[in-house]
């Protein structure tokens, strides 16, 4: 069973702080990794993808990947109340199949 | 213009009934998916079709039957509904980078 694990949270951070979300995966052959954001009652939406070891930055978001440690993380700088959502880590396994983690609830308090 | 659409948005029905959920994408993608998201927000793949051909069939009760009349449509028929089928069902379409989700169908079985 290929698994993706995340801390369910909730992770609470004050407005303006850095939120750090973490994910580990079991399939060493995985090459593509994604972070989705899901607001309550809405569908998941892609916010970051990463394929190579290291960091990838997009605005306030930075994805970090360490394939040796089978670890992927998402940093959100200058967190805003509008960032409050569930963040889903997804790992592509075997073709076009995504395996999702259970998600981490992020709460940004103003 | 909605990229991935689903109908109905809400579905409330009695145990034992049969129901269908429809999905359409106007993105020109070849591959579509059905996911189930339970009350704990865990998003799990059920089926995937590529250009009308079934390519992923996870461990799902055979009461669930997908049908793809063409590559833009993927429907899900559920026979003999059970209480445990209550969940949000998401359709998704595979783009160049990752999957794009429909708005979800909230199914409640009473």
């Amino acid at each position: 069973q290929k698994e993706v694990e995340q801390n369910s949270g909730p992770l609470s951070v004050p407005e303006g702080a850095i939120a750090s979300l973490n994910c580990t995966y079991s399939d060493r052959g995985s090459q593509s990794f994604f972070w989705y954001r899901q607001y309550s009652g809405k569908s998941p939406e892609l916010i970051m993808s990463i394929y190579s070891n290291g960091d990838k930055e997009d605005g306030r978001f930075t994805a970090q990947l360490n394939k040796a440690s089978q670890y992927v993380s998402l940093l959100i700088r200058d967190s805003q109340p509008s960032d409050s959502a569930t963040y889903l880590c997804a790992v592509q396994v075997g073709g076009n199949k995504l395996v999702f983690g259970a998600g981490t609830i992020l709460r940004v308090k103003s | 213009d909605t990229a991935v659409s689903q109908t109905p948005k809400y579905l409330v029905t009695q145990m034992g009934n049969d129901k269908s959920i429809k999905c359409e994408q106007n993105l020109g993608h070849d591959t579509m998916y059905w996911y189930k998201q339970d009350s704990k927000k865990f998003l799990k793949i059920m089926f995937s079709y590529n250009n009308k051909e079934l390519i992923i069939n996870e461990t799902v009760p055979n009461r669930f039957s997908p049908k793809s009349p063409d590559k833009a449509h993927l429907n899900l028929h559920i026979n003999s509904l059970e209480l445990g089928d209550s969940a949000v069902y998401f359709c998704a379409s595979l783009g160049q980078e990752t999957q794009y989700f429909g708005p979800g169908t909230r199914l409640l079985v009473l």
Side-chain angles (χ1 to χ4, degrees):
Chain A
Q1 176 71 23
K2 299 176 177 62
E3 291 186 341
V4 177
E5 296 191 6
Q6 297 180 251
N7 187 325
S8 63
L11 172 66
S12 292
V13 300
E15 185 175 356
I18 296 175
S20 178
L21 305 161
N22 304 314
C23 170
T24 58
Y25 61 94
S26 61
D27 185 1
R28 282 196 170 274
S30 299
Q31 297 294 321
S32 304
F33 307 86
F34 306 92
W35 283 98
Y36 282 80
R37 177 177 62 201
Q38 186 175 24
Y39 291 114
S40 180
K42 301 294 185 183
S43 57
E45 57 175 331
L46 178 70
I47 52 171
M48 287 289 286
S49 60
I50 188 165
Y51 308 101
S52 305
N53 280 330
D55 295 0
K56 178 182 177 184
E57 188 175 320
D58 184 1
R60 296 186 297 112
F61 299 98
T62 299
Q64 298 174 317
L65 175 61
N66 184 326
K67 290 183 181 179
S69 300
Q70 295 174 249
Y71 176 91
V72 58
S73 65
L74 179 70
L75 300 177
I76 306 175
R77 289 182 299 282
D78 188 24
S79 296
Q80 301 297 308
S82 58
D83 295 327
S84 297
T86 297
Y87 288 80
L88 303 170
C89 174
V91 177
Q92 186 165 327
V93 299
N96 294 322
K97 179 178 172 181
L98 286 183
V99 177
F100 284 83
T104 298
I105 298 170
L106 173 65
R107 293 183 182 150
V108 181
K109 298 184 177 180
S110 56
Chain B
D1 289 346
T2 304
V4 183
S5 59
Q6 293 179 229
T7 54
K9 277 192 172 182
Y10 301 96
L11 192 50
V12 181
T13 188
Q14 299 289 327
M15 264 193 336
N17 285 349
D18 303 338
K19 290 293 178 185
S20 291
I21 307 171
K22 295 185 176 182
C23 178
E24 177 181 0
Q25 54 97 2
N26 62 8
L27 299 166
H29 297 159
D30 288 337
T31 304
M32 297 179 70
Y33 304 80
W34 277 113
Y35 286 88
K36 178 181 180 181
Q37 188 170 45
D38 60 26
S39 58
K40 294 184 179 179
K41 302 297 185 185
F42 188 56
L43 192 64
K44 189 169 182 183
I45 189 168
M46 300 173 70
F47 302 103
S48 177
Y49 270 74
N50 179 276
N51 202 7
K52 302 193 295 179
E53 180 182 346
L54 180 66
I55 56 172
I56 295 175
N57 186 351
E58 293 292 294
T59 308
V60 176
N62 57 15
R63 298 182 294 104
F64 291 80
S65 52
K67 281 190 173 58
S68 181
D70 56 62
K71 73 175 192 177
H73 295 84
L74 180 60
N75 304 324
L76 183 65
H77 188 76
I78 315 171
N79 289 325
S80 302
L81 278 155
E82 300 178 357
L83 294 176
D85 297 332
S86 296
V88 181
Y89 292 84
F90 285 103
C91 175
S93 168
L94 178 64
Q96 267 198 325
E97 188 173 61
T98 191
Q99 297 175 22
Y100 299 89
F101 286 81
T105 295
R106 284 147 185 82
L107 171 64
L108 178 60
V109 182
L110 302 174

